[in-house]
Amino acid sequence: MEKKEELDMTDEVGARKWCGSVGGIVDAPIDKVWNMVSKSSRLHEWMPMVENCTDLSGEEGVPGYTRLVSGFMFPQKDGDRSWIKETLVHMDPLSHSYVYRMEASNVGLDGSLNLLKLLDYGDGSTLVHWKFDIDPVEGVSEEYTVDYLGYLYKSCINRIEGAVEASCNESSVAFLKQEVASGSDNADNKVVN
């Protein structure tokens, strides 16, 4: 399935794109990682440069869904925040993968594609693979652009594990508060990590 997704992405983008990919191992089970990375409302938890993600149209998780992501993702000459309007091209929860196309932006990456794929790496860990294909950007070197995007996306991958842990801890605390509020006898036996 992964080969087909990559072929589809390559067929769609053509031969003149600049391409790059990064990956990393996250010490968390694939389902918890997928729950984090597949939800637009959770982007800010693992993408430190994202301040806001707004639903524009469609239903999240369904191809055609469009969102507006803003923050300090890419340096702007005027110091303003960058923004990217993205459309979901493909999502497959069974293979833990998705593809977004950057439709419009103030960063010069319109038409770019990002594929995120998760693989169970065993022992409760997950391999995160992030592939990107972009149109050449006038006035900027290919090597610089691919390296910058690789660095940016790798920093996001490196934050996923902490975001998953924080989310699990918040869920445990919320559960305990609910137990205490309801007067449950089991609340005294629960331990928070």
Side-chain angles (χ1 to χ4, degrees), residues 27-178:
D27 190 19
I30 194 168
D31 290 333
K32 288 186 179 189
V33 175
W34 179 251
N35 189 45
M36 177 65 61
V37 302
S38 65
K39 308 259 187 303
S40 292
S41 62
R42 303 194 78 180
L43 283 181
H44 68 281
E45 293 178 54
W46 62 282
M47 296 180 115
M49 71 294 289
V50 171
E51 291 182 323
N52 295 304
C53 184
T54 306
D55 297 336
L56 296 180
S57 65
E59 181 181 338
E60 185 170 13
V62 177
Y65 164 73
T66 304
R67 65 188 184 188
L68 181 65
V69 180
S70 62
F72 292 99
M73 298 157 295
F74 302 94
Q76 299 297 301
K77 289 180 183 177
D78 58 9
D80 204 6
R81 287 166 176 75
S82 47
W83 59 268
I84 301 169
K85 179 181 169 184
E86 298 179 314
T87 299
L88 181 64
V89 175
H90 172 80
M91 181 172 281
D92 185 356
L94 295 177
S95 70
H96 300 96
S97 65
Y98 60 75
V99 178
Y100 272 94
R101 176 184 293 116
M102 296 181 186
E103 301 292 346
S105 70
N106 66 344
V107 297
L109 298 177
D110 301 4
S112 302
L113 290 174
N114 282 289
L115 172 127
L116 191 77
K117 171 115 177 109
L118 307 180
L119 298 167
D120 187 336
Y121 203 67
D123 295 326
S125 62
T126 303
L127 172 63
V128 179
H129 180 247
W130 194 329
K131 182 177 189 281
F132 52 93
D133 293 332
I134 63 174
D135 285 328
V137 180
E138 191 173 321
V140 181
S141 80
E142 177 178 358
E143 182 179 1
Y144 171 81
T145 304
V146 170
D147 285 350
Y148 179 77
L149 289 173
Y151 171 79
L152 186 70
Y153 296 156
K154 180 69 173 173
S155 72
C156 294
I157 291 170
N158 291 340
R159 290 183 53 102
I160 294 171
E161 185 175 326
V164 169
E165 287 176 9
S167 176
C168 289
N169 289 339
E170 289 173 15
S171 296
S172 295
V173 169
F175 175 76
L176 285 175
K177 286 181 180 179
Q178 183 179 13

